[in-house]
Amino acid sequence: MKIMGLLFILVLLASSTNFIAYSQTIVETLPGFPGPLPFKLETGYIGVGEDEAVQLFYYFVESEGNPEEDPLIIWLAGGPGCGTLRAFFFEIGPMQIQYGNYMDNVPALQLDPNSWSKVANVIYLDAPTITGYSYTKTPEAVRSSDTASASQTAEFIRKFVKTHPKFLKNPMYVTGISYSGIVIPIITEELYKGNDEGLEPIVNIQGYMGGNPLTNKTGDINSRLEYAYRMALISEELYESTKKDCNGDYAEADSNNLQCMLDINEVNKRVGDINIQQILDPDCDAVTNLVRGGNPVTKENRRLLRGNPVNLRPAQSMLTDTFCRGDNYNYATLWANDENVMKALNVREGTVDEWLLCNLDMKYNYGKPSMPLYEFNVQNSVVYHEKLSKRNCRALIFSGDHDMMVPHVGTRNWINSLNLTITDSNWDAWYVNGQDAGYKTTYARDNYTLVFATVKGAGHTAPEFKPKECFEMVKRWFAYRPI
């Protein structure tokens, strides 16, 4: 949808409809799933920002274990501007899509055995502003930024626990993936700070978690070169010459440095056909640019979806077919845009013209200071990790070791910059079902602890590639056990 058309609709809605600041619905059945849901699902809106003009939509799944004591977590998708249904269906949520099967004229759903809701109360939030089913009541509130998004999400959390007082005592964690790595530590610090200032209600914030988290934008981009060399995608000679000629800075390389530009061009020739999000997957997107590559979003062919839904997923047995993981997301788009689905979720009528996997007017691309609906005004969120390292706080940072988008190399670099003390594990293996699931390092400073773990074989959104391993990891971490 064009922006001006969107703004017109927002003005129309604001002038013709009276909205309440908070609403909730208990969803007992969903199109595509047979019978009543075997878990408690709540959806709703909470207004944030000036005059609560931003109406944030959420899905809340109560813990299937011990909801009175299990942690309360909020999960933030990346993008920015990607709907949290991706997490709900493909990463950590209670349901999966049965590819190729249909029920109630939508993709059929089944339960996910590795749902994080088995050990936690999970809020899936559509943020910021025009993301997923969220919307704004005024045109002025549409545009967001890193700092505005973080502030509004912190406001959302405090309002959520106020309207759900039975969770006030549950340990609270701010969690998410990919681009949300920029805002997660900001939100967490804001919650701690708000508690210090006596904001009501007091949130029982205990820490945070980031999966494949973009953190130091320049550093994370720069680490792609070392990662490509470590994974044998470029030669040692090319790696060393590029590092020397570019003075170790590729993200901000001087365009007048001809030799550096030539080296980077040679690197891009080698990795152009590599899937930057999972280097072992087929490359189904645009040519990979190691330096300027931002946050690619798989294109969706909605016309094809509606015209020929039976053939959505290519046959795996045909050797001539290439499996494109992004094709799976089209099922979520088809499901989320169904009128009966929106009614079941109690999406406010007229607020969303079309549900999109990601709002491309917010999508991050390195080197751009802003997009039409979003300003990238935090270049590096490490300073917030430094602030949190002085608090009574726990952190879990994990990376898929086949992710070249935000490589574990760069993540470990900024963690090391915190000057924490390595405690009982230093790149030790951790196991699931007796098999090596990755490697972990544990850090501490006073009352602050941080666990950094790689997930073997996982890509940019680690739980999507290794759901069992990631579930076991967080299950142990929530329980204060070594992962």
Side-chain angles (χ1 to χ4, degrees), residues 61 81 86 90 93 123 131-132 140 149 203 230 237 309-310 319 326 370 372 421 447 467:
V61 180
R86 175 165 174 171
F90 305 109
I123 308 166
T131 295
E140 296 78 17
S149 176
V203 177
R230 288 190 182 190
E237 291 80 9
V310 176
L319 297 178
S370 65
T421 299
N447 294 320

Side-chain angles (χ1 to χ4, degrees), residues 395-464:
L396 171 61
I397 306 296
F398 60 92
S399 297
D401 65 8
H402 281 66
D403 172 18
M404 194 163 59
M405 175 73 68
V406 183
H408 70 273
V409 176
T411 300
R412 200 173 191 212
N413 286 343
W414 68 254
I415 291 175
N416 288 339
S417 75
L418 299 176
N419 293 318
L420 306 172
T421 299
I422 295 178
T423 56
D424 60 330
S425 298
N426 187 359
W427 211 259
D428 294 348
W430 61 280
Y431 297 87
V432 173
N433 293 335
Q435 296 297 314
D436 187 335
Y439 296 86
K440 62 180 179 178
T441 305
T442 57
Y443 304 83
R445 174 191 292 154
D446 299 327
N447 294 320
Y448 177 82
T449 62
L450 185 149
V451 177
F452 172 57
T454 63
V455 183
K456 186 164 66 73
H460 182 56
T461 49
E464 184 172 353

Side-chain angles (χ1 to χ4, degrees), residues 12-299:
L12 181 65
L13 288 170
S15 62
S16 63
T17 311
N18 293 319
F19 293 113
I20 58 175
Y22 168 69
S23 64
Q24 68 179 53
T25 301
I26 301 300
V27 180
E28 297 182 347
T29 61
L30 282 175
F33 186 79
L37 299 177
F39 52 85
K40 185 174 180 181
L41 171 63
E42 173 189 312
T43 63
Y45 298 85
I46 291 181
V48 296
E50 186 176 355
D51 298 325
E52 298 190 331
V54 177
Q55 294 286 308
L56 295 180
F57 184 85
Y58 67 89
Y59 314 76
F60 175 54
V61 180
E62 280 197 13
S63 172
E64 300 170 67
N66 185 351
E68 290 77 21
E69 297 183 6
D70 286 343
L72 173 66
I73 73 171
I74 186 167
W75 181 267
L76 305 172
C82 290
T84 196
L85 265 184
R86 175 165 174 171
F88 195 88
F89 284 143
F90 305 109
E91 295 170 2
I92 70 166
M95 311 204 83
Q96 298 172 328
I97 291 172
Q98 295 186 43
Y99 304 112
N101 294 324
Y102 294 82
M103 177 181 171
D104 305 323
N105 296 315
V106 295
L109 306 178
Q110 62 188 11
L111 298 179
D112 186 345
N114 298 303
S115 173
W116 290 18
S117 62
K118 295 187 181 301
V119 294
N121 302 283
V122 186
I123 308 166
Y124 304 84
L125 182 65
D126 278 342
T129 58
I130 311 298
T131 295
Y133 292 125
S134 294
Y135 69 97
T136 66
K137 297 192 293 183
T138 66
E140 296 78 17
V142 172
R143 187 170 169 80
S144 190
S145 67
D146 295 330
T147 51
S149 176
S151 177
Q152 290 176 359
T153 301
E155 180 184 351
F156 171 94
I157 292 170
R158 210 170 288 276
K159 287 183 174 179
F160 183 90
V161 295
K162 183 177 182 179
T163 54
H164 297 75
K166 74 176 186 177
F167 297 106
L168 277 168
K169 295 182 179 180
N170 296 61
M172 171 83 206
Y173 295 96
V174 180
T175 71
I177 206 153
S178 190
Y179 191 88
S180 65
I182 293 295
V183 297
I184 286 170
I186 306 176
I187 297 164
T188 308
E189 170 62 19
E190 191 159 330
L191 291 175
Y192 275 104
K193 186 178 178 182
N195 286 350
D196 294 342
E197 295 171 352
L199 290 183
E200 296 288 346
I202 298 297
V203 177
N204 188 19
I205 182 69
Q206 296 293 308
Y208 59 102
M209 177 193 305
N212 306 80
L214 185 66
T215 305
N216 176 350
K217 292 175 179 175
T218 300
D220 287 337
I221 299 297
N222 279 336
S223 73
R224 292 174 178 175
L225 186 84
E226 181 180 350
Y227 180 84
Y229 164 58
R230 288 190 182 190
M231 300 303 289
L233 303 179
I234 61 174
S235 68
E236 181 180 8
E237 291 80 9
L238 181 56
Y239 169 63
E240 292 295 346
S241 66
T242 307
K243 185 167 65 170
K244 173 179 173 292
D245 294 334
C246 298
N247 298 312
D249 190 354
Y250 326 106
E252 299 293 332
D254 183 359
S255 60
N256 293 319
N257 184 338
L258 181 59
Q259 190 56 54
C260 172
M261 293 296 104
L262 290 172
D263 288 338
I264 289 175
N265 187 52
E266 287 298 318
V267 170
N268 282 330
K269 285 181 181 179
R270 272 68 174 178
V271 301
D273 294 324
I274 299 295
N275 187 324
I276 195 170
Q277 300 190 68
Q278 216 302 358
I279 64 171
L280 299 184
D281 270 9
D283 187 31
C284 301
D285 297 313
V287 174
T288 293
N289 184 316
L290 209 59
V291 174
R292 295 300 174 189
N295 210 5
V297 177
T298 302
K299 294 181 178 64

Side-chain angles (χ1 to χ4, degrees), residues 306-334:
R306 291 169 181 152
N308 192 12
V310 176
N311 295 321
L312 263 175
R313 191 177 197 192
Q316 298 292 301
S317 60
M318 295 179 63
L319 297 178
T320 56
D321 283 344
T322 296
F323 166 61
C324 296
R325 189 176 299 273
D327 291 343
N328 291 346
Y329 308 144
N330 292 331
Y331 287 89
T333 300
L334 184 65

